[in-house]
Amino acid sequence: MLLALAAGAAAGPAMARSHAQCPWRGEGPVLRVFAAEAPWREAFSGPEDSVLGAPVDWAAQDVLVFALGQQRTLGVTVAAEPADLAGPGRHTRLAATPTRPGPDDMVAMALSRPCVVLAVPKRSWSRVEVRDRTRGEVVWRGRPKVKR
């Protein structure tokens, strides 16, 4: 997937983690940006340590969540890394990878809500496009809701 983002200032260590069961209670496919700790605590079922693996520096970082929505199997995932951010100006890109089980793969048939959560340097968020890196198709496009 490709994610076009608005450019921003440099900050502390960037982090990312994929989840088969998204800790964010929202529905997908959707992209949300959390720019402060208070809206994060309202929307997530755990602290940022458990979601990202380390605390977020809210003064220097935003948290980006891309959720695929409810899936019928645990074999669906989405992954991205902050280090994959590239491109100057208003439309930077982030490469991300969705994974779906093949037709002959053995997977658990259970509802899942896959998402990827990234802590990235604070920036001004404009239009965003999420694109499947392997297929090249647009998965989501729009202006993300920023929770401050």
Side-chain angles (χ1 to χ4, degrees):
M1 303 188 156
L2 291 178
L3 181 58
L5 308 172
M15 302 170 278
R17 185 174 281 177
S18 294
H19 298 272
Q21 296 295 348
C22 192
W24 178 56
R25 299 190 255 315
E27 295 296 320
V30 69
L31 183 98
R32 288 289 184 271
V33 177
F34 294 87
E37 187 174 7
W40 167 277
R41 296 239 179 260
E42 291 174 18
F44 277 81
S45 55
E48 60 263 25
D49 304 45
S50 67
V51 175
L52 280 161
V56 173
D57 177 358
W58 291 105
Q61 293 176 304
D62 289 337
V63 176
L64 172 78
V65 178
F66 178 64
L68 291 178
Q70 186 170 292
Q71 305 292 315
R72 294 179 297 198
T73 176
L74 293 173
V76 178
T77 63
V78 61
E81 291 295 328
D84 295 334
L85 283 171
R90 293 183 62 195
H91 298 290
T92 317
R93 286 176 176 65
L94 171 68
T97 307
T99 304
R100 297 186 183 279
D104 296 328
D105 291 345
M106 299 275 297
V107 294
M109 296 305 291
L111 294 178
S112 66
R113 292 177 32 250
C115 73
V116 62
V117 181
L118 301 101
V120 297
K122 282 207 176 287
R123 62 190 72 231
S124 298
W125 296 91
S126 64
R127 293 201 48 86
V128 175
E129 182 175 276
V130 179
R131 197 174 275 276
D132 184 316
R133 178 180 14 206
T134 55
R135 295 182 182 163
E137 57 196 38
V138 174
V139 178
W140 187 90
R141 178 183 291 148
R143 192 175 285 279
K145 290 187 179 177
V146 179
K147 305 288 187 176
R148 298 186 190 281

